[in-house]
PDB file of all heavy atoms in Angstrom:
ATOM      1  N   LYS A 649       0.823  -1.205   0.000  1.00  0.00           N
ATOM      2  CA  LYS A 649       0.000   0.000   0.000  1.00  0.00           C
ATOM      3  C   LYS A 649       0.863   1.263   0.000  1.00  0.00           C
ATOM      4  O   LYS A 649       1.866   1.347   0.714  1.00  0.00           O
ATOM      5  CB  LYS A 649      -0.922   0.014   1.229  1.00  0.00           C
ATOM      6  CG  LYS A 649      -1.806  -1.221   1.354  1.00  0.00           C
ATOM      7  CD  LYS A 649      -2.737  -1.368   0.160  1.00  0.00           C
ATOM      8  CE  LYS A 649      -3.674  -2.564   0.348  1.00  0.00           C
ATOM      9  NZ  LYS A 649      -4.589  -2.729  -0.801  1.00  0.00           N
ATOM     10  N   LEU A 650       0.436   2.252  -0.786  1.00  0.00           N
ATOM     11  CA  LEU A 650       1.126   3.538  -0.837  1.00  0.00           C
ATOM     12  C   LEU A 650       0.602   4.507   0.210  1.00  0.00           C
ATOM     13  O   LEU A 650       1.224   5.544   0.464  1.00  0.00           O
ATOM     14  CB  LEU A 650       0.967   4.164  -2.225  1.00  0.00           C
ATOM     15  CG  LEU A 650       1.409   3.322  -3.428  1.00  0.00           C
ATOM     16  CD1 LEU A 650       1.181   4.097  -4.717  1.00  0.00           C
ATOM     17  CD2 LEU A 650       2.863   2.922  -3.299  1.00  0.00           C
ATOM     18  N   ALA A 651      -0.535   4.178   0.793  1.00  0.00           N
ATOM     19  CA  ALA A 651      -1.154   5.019   1.819  1.00  0.00           C
ATOM     20  C   ALA A 651      -2.237   4.201   2.511  1.00  0.00           C
ATOM     21  O   ALA A 651      -2.561   3.084   2.084  1.00  0.00           O
ATOM     22  CB  ALA A 651      -1.759   6.278   1.201  1.00  0.00           C
ATOM     23  N   THR A 652      -2.806   4.746   3.568  1.00  0.00           N
ATOM     24  CA  THR A 652      -3.915   4.083   4.248  1.00  0.00           C
ATOM     25  C   THR A 652      -5.207   4.349   3.476  1.00  0.00           C
ATOM     26  O   THR A 652      -5.222   5.077   2.473  1.00  0.00           O
ATOM     27  CB  THR A 652      -4.066   4.619   5.678  1.00  0.00           C
ATOM     28  OG1 THR A 652      -4.468   6.002   5.607  1.00  0.00           O
ATOM     29  CG2 THR A 652      -2.750   4.511   6.449  1.00  0.00           C
ATOM     30  N   VAL A 653      -6.310   3.783   3.947  1.00  0.00           N
ATOM     31  CA  VAL A 653      -7.598   4.001   3.281  1.00  0.00           C
ATOM     32  C   VAL A 653      -8.014   5.468   3.352  1.00  0.00           C
ATOM     33  O   VAL A 653      -8.811   5.934   2.534  1.00  0.00           O
ATOM     34  CB  VAL A 653      -8.699   3.113   3.896  1.00  0.00           C
ATOM     35  CG1 VAL A 653      -8.475   1.657   3.547  1.00  0.00           C
ATOM     36  CG2 VAL A 653      -8.782   3.309   5.401  1.00  0.00           C
ATOM     37  N   THR A 654      -7.484   6.225   4.334  1.00  0.00           N
ATOM     38  CA  THR A 654      -7.787   7.657   4.433  1.00  0.00           C
ATOM     39  C   THR A 654      -6.783   8.500   3.665  1.00  0.00           C
ATOM     40  O   THR A 654      -6.773   9.724   3.765  1.00  0.00           O
ATOM     41  CB  THR A 654      -7.807   8.100   5.905  1.00  0.00           C
ATOM     42  OG1 THR A 654      -6.512   7.861   6.482  1.00  0.00           O
ATOM     43  CG2 THR A 654      -8.869   7.349   6.686  1.00  0.00           C
ATOM     44  N   ARG A 655      -5.894   7.827   2.892  1.00  0.00           N
ATOM     45  CA  ARG A 655      -4.869   8.466   2.042  1.00  0.00           C
ATOM     46  C   ARG A 655      -3.742   9.101   2.858  1.00  0.00           C
ATOM     47  O   ARG A 655      -3.064   9.998   2.378  1.00  0.00           O
ATOM     48  CB  ARG A 655      -5.480   9.507   1.101  1.00  0.00           C
ATOM     49  CG  ARG A 655      -6.507   8.939   0.115  1.00  0.00           C
ATOM     50  CD  ARG A 655      -5.928   7.752  -0.657  1.00  0.00           C
ATOM     51  NE  ARG A 655      -6.754   7.324  -1.763  1.00  0.00           N
ATOM     52  CZ  ARG A 655      -7.651   6.336  -1.700  1.00  0.00           C
ATOM     53  NH1 ARG A 655      -7.830   5.695  -0.553  1.00  0.00           N
ATOM     54  NH2 ARG A 655      -8.346   5.977  -2.759  1.00  0.00           N
ATOM     55  N   GLU A 656      -3.526   8.643   4.071  1.00  0.00           N
ATOM     56  CA  GLU A 656      -2.390   9.117   4.853  1.00  0.00           C
ATOM     57  C   GLU A 656      -1.138   8.358   4.402  1.00  0.00           C
ATOM     58  O   GLU A 656      -1.114   7.127   4.403  1.00  0.00           O
ATOM     59  CB  GLU A 656      -2.616   8.879   6.352  1.00  0.00           C
ATOM     60  CG  GLU A 656      -1.468   9.390   7.207  1.00  0.00           C
ATOM     61  CD  GLU A 656      -1.658   9.076   8.686  1.00  0.00           C
ATOM     62  OE1 GLU A 656      -2.742   8.568   9.060  1.00  0.00           O
ATOM     63  OE2 GLU A 656      -0.714   9.329   9.449  1.00  0.00           O
ATOM     64  N   SER A 657      -0.087   9.106   4.019  1.00  0.00           N
ATOM     65  CA  SER A 657       1.121   8.458   3.512  1.00  0.00           C
ATOM     66  C   SER A 657       2.412   9.024   4.094  1.00  0.00           C
ATOM     67  O   SER A 657       3.495   8.509   3.809  1.00  0.00           O
ATOM     68  CB  SER A 657       1.183   8.592   1.979  1.00  0.00           C
ATOM     69  OG  SER A 657       1.225   9.951   1.604  1.00  0.00           O
ATOM     70  N   GLN A 658       2.339  10.089   4.873  1.00  0.00           N
ATOM     71  CA  GLN A 658       3.542  10.693   5.457  1.00  0.00           C
ATOM     72  C   GLN A 658       3.638  10.349   6.946  1.00  0.00           C
ATOM     73  O   GLN A 658       2.813  10.795   7.724  1.00  0.00           O
ATOM     74  CB  GLN A 658       3.511  12.206   5.277  1.00  0.00           C
ATOM     75  CG  GLN A 658       3.543  12.635   3.810  1.00  0.00           C
ATOM     76  CD  GLN A 658       3.528  14.143   3.654  1.00  0.00           C
ATOM     77  OE1 GLN A 658       3.178  14.871   4.575  1.00  0.00           O
ATOM     78  NE2 GLN A 658       3.888  14.632   2.495  1.00  0.00           N
ATOM     79  N   TRP A 659       4.657   9.559   7.353  1.00  0.00           N
ATOM     80  CA  TRP A 659       5.662   8.973   6.460  1.00  0.00           C
ATOM     81  C   TRP A 659       5.631   7.465   6.583  1.00  0.00           C
ATOM     82  O   TRP A 659       5.620   6.955   7.716  1.00  0.00           O
ATOM     83  CB  TRP A 659       7.057   9.492   6.779  1.00  0.00           C
ATOM     84  CG  TRP A 659       7.171  10.965   6.602  1.00  0.00           C
ATOM     85  CD1 TRP A 659       7.131  11.913   7.564  1.00  0.00           C
ATOM     86  CD2 TRP A 659       7.355  11.661   5.357  1.00  0.00           C
ATOM     87  NE1 TRP A 659       7.289  13.168   7.020  1.00  0.00           N
ATOM     88  CE2 TRP A 659       7.436  13.037   5.666  1.00  0.00           C
ATOM     89  CE3 TRP A 659       7.470  11.242   4.030  1.00  0.00           C
ATOM     90  CZ2 TRP A 659       7.598  14.004   4.684  1.00  0.00           C
ATOM     91  CZ3 TRP A 659       7.648  12.212   3.073  1.00  0.00           C
ATOM     92  CH2 TRP A 659       7.722  13.573   3.392  1.00  0.00           C
ATOM     93  N   ILE A 660       5.565   6.751   5.476  1.00  0.00           N
ATOM     94  CA  ILE A 660       5.555   5.288   5.507  1.00  0.00           C
ATOM     95  C   ILE A 660       6.940   4.762   5.845  1.00  0.00           C
ATOM     96  O   ILE A 660       7.086   3.851   6.663  1.00  0.00           O
ATOM     97  CB  ILE A 660       5.068   4.720   4.153  1.00  0.00           C
ATOM     98  CG1 ILE A 660       3.551   4.928   4.021  1.00  0.00           C
ATOM     99  CG2 ILE A 660       5.421   3.243   4.019  1.00  0.00           C
ATOM    100  CD1 ILE A 660       2.994   4.474   2.682  1.00  0.00           C
ATOM    101  N   THR A 661       7.959   5.325   5.231  1.00  0.00           N
ATOM    102  CA  THR A 661       9.321   4.811   5.397  1.00  0.00           C
ATOM    103  C   THR A 661      10.126   5.686   6.360  1.00  0.00           C
ATOM    104  O   THR A 661       9.708   6.778   6.751  1.00  0.00           O
ATOM    105  CB  THR A 661      10.053   4.749   4.047  1.00  0.00           C
ATOM    106  OG1 THR A 661       9.999   6.040   3.422  1.00  0.00           O
ATOM    107  CG2 THR A 661       9.401   3.717   3.137  1.00  0.00           C
ATOM    108  N   SER A 662      11.311   5.191   6.707  1.00  0.00           N
ATOM    109  CA  SER A 662      12.182   5.867   7.664  1.00  0.00           C
ATOM    110  C   SER A 662      12.855   7.084   7.049  1.00  0.00           C
ATOM    111  O   SER A 662      12.873   7.266   5.826  1.00  0.00           O
ATOM    112  CB  SER A 662      13.251   4.900   8.165  1.00  0.00           C
ATOM    113  OG  SER A 662      14.109   4.533   7.092  1.00  0.00           O
ATOM    114  N   GLU A 663      13.447   7.914   7.889  1.00  0.00           N
ATOM    115  CA  GLU A 663      14.157   9.095   7.414  1.00  0.00           C
ATOM    116  C   GLU A 663      15.341   8.712   6.528  1.00  0.00           C
ATOM    117  O   GLU A 663      15.645   9.398   5.548  1.00  0.00           O
ATOM    118  CB  GLU A 663      14.641   9.925   8.598  1.00  0.00           C
ATOM    119  CG  GLU A 663      15.294  11.237   8.196  1.00  0.00           C
ATOM    120  CD  GLU A 663      15.673  12.085   9.388  1.00  0.00           C
ATOM    121  OE1 GLU A 663      15.233  11.775  10.505  1.00  0.00           O
ATOM    122  OE2 GLU A 663      16.417  13.074   9.198  1.00  0.00           O
ATOM    123  N   VAL A 664      16.005   7.606   6.863  1.00  0.00           N
ATOM    124  CA  VAL A 664      17.137   7.153   6.056  1.00  0.00           C
ATOM    125  C   VAL A 664      16.675   6.793   4.647  1.00  0.00           C
ATOM    126  O   VAL A 664      17.325   7.142   3.651  1.00  0.00           O
ATOM    127  CB  VAL A 664      17.834   5.951   6.720  1.00  0.00           C
ATOM    128  CG1 VAL A 664      18.986   5.440   5.853  1.00  0.00           C
ATOM    129  CG2 VAL A 664      18.351   6.326   8.099  1.00  0.00           C
ATOM    130  N   ALA A 665      15.554   6.108   4.540  1.00  0.00           N
ATOM    131  CA  ALA A 665      15.009   5.744   3.231  1.00  0.00           C
ATOM    132  C   ALA A 665      14.582   6.981   2.453  1.00  0.00           C
ATOM    133  O   ALA A 665      14.771   7.058   1.231  1.00  0.00           O
ATOM    134  CB  ALA A 665      13.840   4.785   3.394  1.00  0.00           C
ATOM    135  N   ARG A 666      14.020   7.954   3.146  1.00  0.00           N
ATOM    136  CA  ARG A 666      13.607   9.184   2.463  1.00  0.00           C
ATOM    137  C   ARG A 666      14.824   9.940   1.927  1.00  0.00           C
ATOM    138  O   ARG A 666      14.766  10.554   0.861  1.00  0.00           O
ATOM    139  CB  ARG A 666      12.792  10.072   3.416  1.00  0.00           C
ATOM    140  CG  ARG A 666      11.463   9.448   3.818  1.00  0.00           C
ATOM    141  CD  ARG A 666      10.508  10.468   4.390  1.00  0.00           C
ATOM    142  NE  ARG A 666      10.978  11.107   5.612  1.00  0.00           N
ATOM    143  CZ  ARG A 666      10.801  10.623   6.830  1.00  0.00           C
ATOM    144  NH1 ARG A 666      10.177   9.458   6.993  1.00  0.00           N
ATOM    145  NH2 ARG A 666      11.222  11.280   7.888  1.00  0.00           N
ATOM    146  N   GLU A 667      15.924   9.886   2.663  1.00  0.00           N
ATOM    147  CA  GLU A 667      17.162  10.517   2.179  1.00  0.00           C
ATOM    148  C   GLU A 667      17.647   9.842   0.899  1.00  0.00           C
ATOM    149  O   GLU A 667      18.061  10.506  -0.052  1.00  0.00           O
ATOM    150  CB  GLU A 667      18.235  10.421   3.265  1.00  0.00           C
ATOM    151  CG  GLU A 667      19.521  11.153   2.938  1.00  0.00           C
ATOM    152  CD  GLU A 667      19.501  12.609   3.349  1.00  0.00           C
ATOM    153  OE1 GLU A 667      18.463  13.088   3.840  1.00  0.00           O
ATOM    154  OE2 GLU A 667      20.523  13.280   3.169  1.00  0.00           O
ATOM    155  N   ARG A 668      17.590   8.511   0.861  1.00  0.00           N
ATOM    156  CA  ARG A 668      17.991   7.787  -0.340  1.00  0.00           C
ATOM    157  C   ARG A 668      17.043   8.122  -1.495  1.00  0.00           C
ATOM    158  O   ARG A 668      17.474   8.240  -2.652  1.00  0.00           O
ATOM    159  CB  ARG A 668      17.988   6.278  -0.077  1.00  0.00           C
ATOM    160  CG  ARG A 668      18.443   5.422  -1.252  1.00  0.00           C
ATOM    161  CD  ARG A 668      19.914   5.594  -1.557  1.00  0.00           C
ATOM    162  NE  ARG A 668      20.715   4.966  -0.529  1.00  0.00           N
ATOM    163  CZ  ARG A 668      21.109   3.686  -0.535  1.00  0.00           C
ATOM    164  NH1 ARG A 668      20.786   2.911  -1.560  1.00  0.00           N
ATOM    165  NH2 ARG A 668      21.835   3.199   0.433  1.00  0.00           N
ATOM    166  N   SER A 669      15.779   8.284  -1.185  1.00  0.00           N
ATOM    167  CA  SER A 669      14.800   8.648  -2.198  1.00  0.00           C
ATOM    168  C   SER A 669      15.099  10.027  -2.778  1.00  0.00           C
ATOM    169  O   SER A 669      15.020  10.238  -3.995  1.00  0.00           O
ATOM    170  CB  SER A 669      13.395   8.634  -1.590  1.00  0.00           C
ATOM    171  OG  SER A 669      12.431   9.086  -2.507  1.00  0.00           O
ATOM    172  N   LEU A 670      15.467  10.966  -1.929  1.00  0.00           N
ATOM    173  CA  LEU A 670      15.817  12.306  -2.395  1.00  0.00           C
ATOM    174  C   LEU A 670      17.058  12.279  -3.279  1.00  0.00           C
ATOM    175  O   LEU A 670      17.201  13.095  -4.190  1.00  0.00           O
ATOM    176  CB  LEU A 670      16.035  13.247  -1.213  1.00  0.00           C
ATOM    177  CG  LEU A 670      14.783  13.646  -0.431  1.00  0.00           C
ATOM    178  CD1 LEU A 670      15.168  14.436   0.814  1.00  0.00           C
ATOM    179  CD2 LEU A 670      13.835  14.470  -1.305  1.00  0.00           C
ATOM    180  N   ASP A 671      17.961  11.333  -3.019  1.00  0.00           N
ATOM    181  CA  ASP A 671      19.155  11.200  -3.847  1.00  0.00           C
ATOM    182  C   ASP A 671      18.788  10.834  -5.290  1.00  0.00           C
ATOM    183  O   ASP A 671      19.457  11.263  -6.230  1.00  0.00           O
ATOM    184  CB  ASP A 671      20.094  10.147  -3.259  1.00  0.00           C
ATOM    185  CG  ASP A 671      21.416  10.074  -3.990  1.00  0.00           C
ATOM    186  OD1 ASP A 671      22.263  10.960  -3.775  1.00  0.00           O
ATOM    187  OD2 ASP A 671      21.601   9.145  -4.799  1.00  0.00           O
ATOM    188  N   LEU A 672      17.730  10.072  -5.469  1.00  0.00           N
ATOM    189  CA  LEU A 672      17.272   9.730  -6.815  1.00  0.00           C
ATOM    190  C   LEU A 672      16.845  10.986  -7.572  1.00  0.00           C
ATOM    191  O   LEU A 672      17.045  11.096  -8.782  1.00  0.00           O
ATOM    192  CB  LEU A 672      16.124   8.733  -6.756  1.00  0.00           C
ATOM    193  CG  LEU A 672      16.459   7.334  -6.210  1.00  0.00           C
ATOM    194  CD1 LEU A 672      15.190   6.505  -6.076  1.00  0.00           C
ATOM    195  CD2 LEU A 672      17.458   6.626  -7.109  1.00  0.00           C
ATOM    196  N   ARG A 673      16.253  11.945  -6.864  1.00  0.00           N
ATOM    197  CA  ARG A 673      15.876  13.201  -7.509  1.00  0.00           C
ATOM    198  C   ARG A 673      17.104  13.962  -8.006  1.00  0.00           C
ATOM    199  O   ARG A 673      17.053  14.620  -9.042  1.00  0.00           O
ATOM    200  CB  ARG A 673      15.099  14.091  -6.531  1.00  0.00           C
ATOM    201  CG  ARG A 673      13.714  13.607  -6.185  1.00  0.00           C
ATOM    202  CD  ARG A 673      13.008  14.653  -5.346  1.00  0.00           C
ATOM    203  NE  ARG A 673      11.674  14.225  -4.934  1.00  0.00           N
ATOM    204  CZ  ARG A 673      10.852  14.957  -4.195  1.00  0.00           C
ATOM    205  NH1 ARG A 673      11.244  16.165  -3.807  1.00  0.00           N
ATOM    206  NH2 ARG A 673       9.674  14.505  -3.856  1.00  0.00           N
ATOM    207  N   GLU A 674      18.180  13.882  -7.249  1.00  0.00           N
ATOM    208  CA  GLU A 674      19.404  14.584  -7.635  1.00  0.00           C
ATOM    209  C   GLU A 674      19.978  14.014  -8.937  1.00  0.00           C
ATOM    210  O   GLU A 674      20.631  14.726  -9.701  1.00  0.00           O
ATOM    211  CB  GLU A 674      20.450  14.482  -6.526  1.00  0.00           C
ATOM    212  CG  GLU A 674      20.030  15.062  -5.196  1.00  0.00           C
ATOM    213  CD  GLU A 674      20.098  16.576  -5.160  1.00  0.00           C
ATOM    214  OE1 GLU A 674      20.890  17.160  -5.921  1.00  0.00           O
ATOM    215  OE2 GLU A 674      19.358  17.187  -4.347  1.00  0.00           O
ATOM    216  N   GLN A 675      19.741  12.723  -9.184  1.00  0.00           N
ATOM    217  CA  GLN A 675      20.304  12.063 -10.355  1.00  0.00           C
ATOM    218  C   GLN A 675      19.446  12.231 -11.606  1.00  0.00           C
ATOM    219  O   GLN A 675      19.965  12.232 -12.729  1.00  0.00           O
ATOM    220  CB  GLN A 675      20.486  10.570 -10.078  1.00  0.00           C
ATOM    221  CG  GLN A 675      21.422  10.250  -8.936  1.00  0.00           C
ATOM    222  CD  GLN A 675      21.512   8.758  -8.691  1.00  0.00           C
ATOM    223  OE1 GLN A 675      21.588   7.953  -9.622  1.00  0.00           O
ATOM    224  NE2 GLN A 675      21.497   8.357  -7.432  1.00  0.00           N
ATOM    225  N   ALA A 676      18.141  12.339 -11.434  1.00  0.00           N
ATOM    226  CA  ALA A 676      17.224  12.381 -12.572  1.00  0.00           C
ATOM    227  C   ALA A 676      17.093  13.787 -13.133  1.00  0.00           C
ATOM    228  O   ALA A 676      17.284  14.784 -12.428  1.00  0.00           O
ATOM    229  CB  ALA A 676      15.856  11.850 -12.161  1.00  0.00           C
ATOM    230  N   ASP A 677      16.747  13.880 -14.415  1.00  0.00           N
ATOM    231  CA  ASP A 677      16.541  15.178 -15.056  1.00  0.00           C
ATOM    232  C   ASP A 677      15.201  15.788 -14.678  1.00  0.00           C
ATOM    233  O   ASP A 677      15.053  17.014 -14.686  1.00  0.00           O
ATOM    234  CB  ASP A 677      16.601  15.032 -16.581  1.00  0.00           C
ATOM    235  CG  ASP A 677      17.996  14.699 -17.074  1.00  0.00           C
ATOM    236  OD1 ASP A 677      18.975  15.034 -16.380  1.00  0.00           O
ATOM    237  OD2 ASP A 677      18.110  14.093 -18.158  1.00  0.00           O
ATOM    238  N   ALA A 678      14.210  14.953 -14.402  1.00  0.00           N
ATOM    239  CA  ALA A 678      12.880  15.468 -14.104  1.00  0.00           C
ATOM    240  C   ALA A 678      12.138  14.473 -13.214  1.00  0.00           C
ATOM    241  O   ALA A 678      12.450  13.288 -13.188  1.00  0.00           O
ATOM    242  CB  ALA A 678      12.089  15.714 -15.390  1.00  0.00           C
ATOM    243  N   ILE A 679      11.139  14.997 -12.509  1.00  0.00           N
ATOM    244  CA  ILE A 679      10.281  14.163 -11.675  1.00  0.00           C
ATOM    245  C   ILE A 679       8.842  14.353 -12.145  1.00  0.00           C
ATOM    246  O   ILE A 679       8.428  15.467 -12.484  1.00  0.00           O
ATOM    247  CB  ILE A 679      10.432  14.535 -10.185  1.00  0.00           C
ATOM    248  CG1 ILE A 679       9.516  13.687  -9.322  1.00  0.00           C
ATOM    249  CG2 ILE A 679      10.156  15.995  -9.947  1.00  0.00           C
ATOM    250  CD1 ILE A 679       9.725  13.916  -7.842  1.00  0.00           C
ATOM    251  N   MET A 680       8.095  13.256 -12.193  1.00  0.00           N
ATOM    252  CA  MET A 680       6.713  13.306 -12.673  1.00  0.00           C
ATOM    253  C   MET A 680       5.750  12.832 -11.595  1.00  0.00           C
ATOM    254  O   MET A 680       6.018  11.858 -10.887  1.00  0.00           O
ATOM    255  CB  MET A 680       6.554  12.433 -13.922  1.00  0.00           C
ATOM    256  CG  MET A 680       5.113  12.317 -14.433  1.00  0.00           C
ATOM    257  SD  MET A 680       4.942  11.178 -15.838  1.00  0.00           S
ATOM    258  CE  MET A 680       5.517  12.230 -17.176  1.00  0.00           C
ATOM    259  N   VAL A 681       4.612  13.526 -11.503  1.00  0.00           N
ATOM    260  CA  VAL A 681       3.515  13.089 -10.633  1.00  0.00           C
ATOM    261  C   VAL A 681       2.205  13.287 -11.376  1.00  0.00           C
ATOM    262  O   VAL A 681       2.124  14.050 -12.350  1.00  0.00           O
ATOM    263  CB  VAL A 681       3.476  13.866  -9.299  1.00  0.00           C
ATOM    264  CG1 VAL A 681       4.690  13.563  -8.443  1.00  0.00           C
ATOM    265  CG2 VAL A 681       3.339  15.363  -9.536  1.00  0.00           C
ATOM    266  N   GLY A 682       1.180  12.616 -10.884  1.00  0.00           N
ATOM    267  CA  GLY A 682      -0.156  12.792 -11.428  1.00  0.00           C
ATOM    268  C   GLY A 682      -0.903  13.880 -10.684  1.00  0.00           C
ATOM    269  O   GLY A 682      -0.492  14.336  -9.609  1.00  0.00           O
ATOM    270  N   ALA A 683      -2.036  14.281 -11.246  1.00  0.00           N
ATOM    271  CA  ALA A 683      -2.827  15.353 -10.648  1.00  0.00           C
ATOM    272  C   ALA A 683      -3.325  14.970  -9.259  1.00  0.00           C
ATOM    273  O   ALA A 683      -3.439  15.824  -8.375  1.00  0.00           O
ATOM    274  CB  ALA A 683      -4.009  15.683 -11.554  1.00  0.00           C
ATOM    275  N   GLY A 684      -3.617  13.678  -9.049  1.00  0.00           N
ATOM    276  CA  GLY A 684      -4.108  13.244  -7.747  1.00  0.00           C
ATOM    277  C   GLY A 684      -3.115  13.511  -6.639  1.00  0.00           C
ATOM    278  O   GLY A 684      -3.494  13.896  -5.525  1.00  0.00           O
ATOM    279  N   THR A 685      -1.828  13.325  -6.925  1.00  0.00           N
ATOM    280  CA  THR A 685      -0.789  13.594  -5.936  1.00  0.00           C
ATOM    281  C   THR A 685      -0.711  15.079  -5.626  1.00  0.00           C
ATOM    282  O   THR A 685      -0.529  15.482  -4.472  1.00  0.00           O
ATOM    283  CB  THR A 685       0.574  13.088  -6.447  1.00  0.00           C
ATOM    284  OG1 THR A 685       0.514  11.669  -6.605  1.00  0.00           O
ATOM    285  CG2 THR A 685       1.690  13.439  -5.484  1.00  0.00           C
ATOM    286  N   VAL A 686      -0.851  15.918  -6.653  1.00  0.00           N
ATOM    287  CA  VAL A 686      -0.817  17.367  -6.434  1.00  0.00           C
ATOM    288  C   VAL A 686      -2.006  17.804  -5.583  1.00  0.00           C
ATOM    289  O   VAL A 686      -1.866  18.601  -4.648  1.00  0.00           O
ATOM    290  CB  VAL A 686      -0.812  18.116  -7.778  1.00  0.00           C
ATOM    291  CG1 VAL A 686      -0.847  19.626  -7.558  1.00  0.00           C
ATOM    292  CG2 VAL A 686       0.414  17.738  -8.590  1.00  0.00           C
ATOM    293  N   LEU A 687      -3.187  17.265  -5.877  1.00  0.00           N
ATOM    294  CA  LEU A 687      -4.383  17.635  -5.127  1.00  0.00           C
ATOM    295  C   LEU A 687      -4.322  17.148  -3.681  1.00  0.00           C
ATOM    296  O   LEU A 687      -4.722  17.861  -2.755  1.00  0.00           O
ATOM    297  CB  LEU A 687      -5.623  17.060  -5.816  1.00  0.00           C
ATOM    298  CG  LEU A 687      -6.002  17.693  -7.163  1.00  0.00           C
ATOM    299  CD1 LEU A 687      -7.084  16.873  -7.850  1.00  0.00           C
ATOM    300  CD2 LEU A 687      -6.467  19.133  -6.965  1.00  0.00           C
ATOM    301  N   ALA A 688      -3.793  15.942  -3.474  1.00  0.00           N
ATOM    302  CA  ALA A 688      -3.780  15.357  -2.133  1.00  0.00           C
ATOM    303  C   ALA A 688      -2.675  15.904  -1.249  1.00  0.00           C
ATOM    304  O   ALA A 688      -2.878  16.152  -0.050  1.00  0.00           O
ATOM    305  CB  ALA A 688      -3.663  13.833  -2.240  1.00  0.00           C
TER     306      ALA A 688
END
């Protein structure tokens, strides 16, 4: 699951994992999300 049934998702993973996730942003040219993520 990416979130609970109430759409709560912050934070599923640990701070260390979130740091590694942010590192992926540093490597990529662009990041994409859908409108649902922007609205939520």
Side-chain angles (χ1 to χ4, degrees):
K649 304 299 183 180
L650 305 180
T652 66
V653 290
T654 61
R655 299 307 190 265
E656 181 183 354
S657 61
Q658 296 181 342
W659 298 100
I660 286 177
T661 54
S662 65
E663 185 176 348
V664 178
R666 294 197 298 274
E667 186 87 357
R668 182 68 72 89
S669 175
L670 289 173
D671 186 77
L672 294 174
R673 290 186 182 180
E674 300 283 334
Q675 299 178 42
D677 291 335
I679 179 174
M680 175 184 281
V681 294
T685 297
V686 177
L687 290 170

